[in-house]
Amino acid sequence: MKSRESGSLTVHFSMIMAVITVFMVILYLAEQVMQAQVRGRQVLNICASSVLAGYDRELYQKYGFFAIENTTLAQKDLDHFLAIDLDPYRSGEWTLTPQGFLTDQAEYEKQMQEFMRVRFPVTLVDQYTDLLKDLKDMDDISGVVDAEISLSEAMEEYSRLFSEFITALEGIDDYGNQEVYYVKGLWDETWSKKSYQNVITDPGEESAQALSSWRERASGFRTVTEEACDLWSQLIQEGERIRPILEELQKEAELEEQRDEIGKILKGLHTGTSQDLAIQKRLETNLKALKEVDEGLDLLLNDPASEEGKKKAKKLLDYQTEIHVEYEIRPMTGSRKSWKKLWKELQNYVTDLSGYVEKNEKISKDRRKKLPSGGETSGSVLDGLSLTELSKVISDDIRDVPIVLLMKAYNIEYVCGMFCNLEEVIKREDQGKSSVSLRGSDKETGFLEAEAEYVLAGKGSDLSNCKTVRLEILGIRMISNLCFLATDPDKRAVIEGMAAIGGILAPGVGDLILKGIIMAVWAGAESFQDYERLIHGGKVPLVKSPEDWHVDLDSLMENMQESIADQEEEEGRGLRYIDHLKILFLFLSNETLERRTQDLIELNLEEMTGFEIPLTSMITAFAAEGSYYDNGRRYELRGEYGYT
């Protein structure tokens, strides 16, 4: 009995020991697998870190971003490090797959935030908020002025034709010659019809000189009548062309005063009515008569007894001088130039930007297509100086800006702190002074000179970018200066007085149009002077007071060159050039701002290294996966790695 029990215990003990042995073997094998996996993971992590340590040095040192140049280089580095660190093991193939690029918006913004976090005090966001508040609070009368300018543009050609017609019809002296300031009827009663009839009826030898004088006068009459007839025909055509334009402007006008003014113009517009056609018929009848008079007098000069000559010469007695056309004559002082011509002339008296930046196209179309922005240029604030459109941009964009203001502020301050702008280029050229970048080194121009202006305009030429930004800054200054002119009583009085001075005006063209033109030209001249002050290091208040105004209207009309004085760097209240750039940057989308910043980085890296290094191919994160053998067992691993 005892022997049987002893044998049973032995069997149970053997079974327990077998189980324990198997368990120990399993634990041992599991530990080997775990250790092999840990070793593999550690090796992969170390190798991946080594790959990340191979970031582009120029990119980081110059611009503060981490990225590997391309997938091929990263794969090569990974294979190299794994071959070394997995040398005791038999390594299989490893594949590196990009998971993030520097041009990915989320990745770019993460690195931007990390870079700017210690360089940009968040409290500065308050300054952006205050700036936006000032822009919002600025009274906007740009729509009114734009409407007045649009009206003057529509009427410009018509008014010119009308003025020339009146001058042709009335500006004739006693001998048929035109005198601009000698207003007289075409037929002078001093030489009566009776006297003329006597000359042509019985010329005689003693009357040959008088006949020759009449021949000269009649030829002059014919010339100006021909001109007047042609101008009247053109005037009617122009009137027909602009009528629908004026009617549309009247429909869209916001102010009753504007609608009434346009109504007066429409009422007096010559568009081929019965009265207009009657004037045309009279002019044509006179012209036909004068042609026969010419022929008749020629015949009489050759043969005083010519009956045909006498018959044709008598046609001058049928000339009709009573042509009634309503118009207004105002005393002329200064130039007759339109606001467009004045605006163009004002640009001749500002700094020639080509003396500081190149006008040549530096980025070809093919090269621009390869840049992160793809070469698009539609993100610029303005395509032209339309105050109404600019006003819409300001009111629409400012409403949304505070939502993403911090990221916007990071991007703006990065561009302004890392890249050169026109003012800094001029300062370096004229004074030998360089600005310091956010990296603590002197700013140096790279592929482009006016780099900040490229971010705003996106064009391939420095000069084109600077001119576009100049137009945009002038637009901001125009709105501000127009607001001041519209609200300052002293300036309004000057404008009212100047509006009373003009030239020959077509019916219905009243003071409202002239006030709008004068206001636009005056604000434009002040805006150009503001721009001059800004690019030479000065300050200009966003909203001016009477003490801040510089351009005198009288001197502007007499001699514009003297009214744009030399600008010296000055301290005082107001915003600098860079602050105006920041205002414009606020109107760019973050995507456009970031893409064009990346364009500059890529172009400058190419300039530094001599190699084209596309930012769109620069890796910031990747996944690595592959296999290796340990103790004859195959293991597979996958890991994801990146800078953020």
Side-chain angles (χ1 to χ4, degrees), residues 207-225:
S207 301
Q209 186 175 357
L211 191 64
S212 180
S213 295
W214 275 112
R215 172 67 184 81
E216 185 180 347
R217 294 167 200 158
S219 179
F221 290 170
R222 175 181 171 178
T223 300
V224 297
T225 304

Side-chain angles (χ1 to χ4, degrees), residues 127-135 542 575 579 583 586:
Q127 294 183 15
Y128 281 91
T129 306
D130 293 340
L131 189 62
L132 292 170
K133 185 177 182 299
D134 290 339
L135 285 169
L542 185 59
L575 306 177
D579 299 316
I583 291 174
L586 286 169

Side-chain angles (χ1 to χ4, degrees), residues 16-32:
I16 292 171
M17 289 302 296
V19 170
I20 292 174
T21 301
V22 171
F23 180 70
M24 293 297 293
V25 170
I26 292 173
L27 284 179
Y28 174 74
L29 293 174
E31 182 182 4
Q32 277 192 319

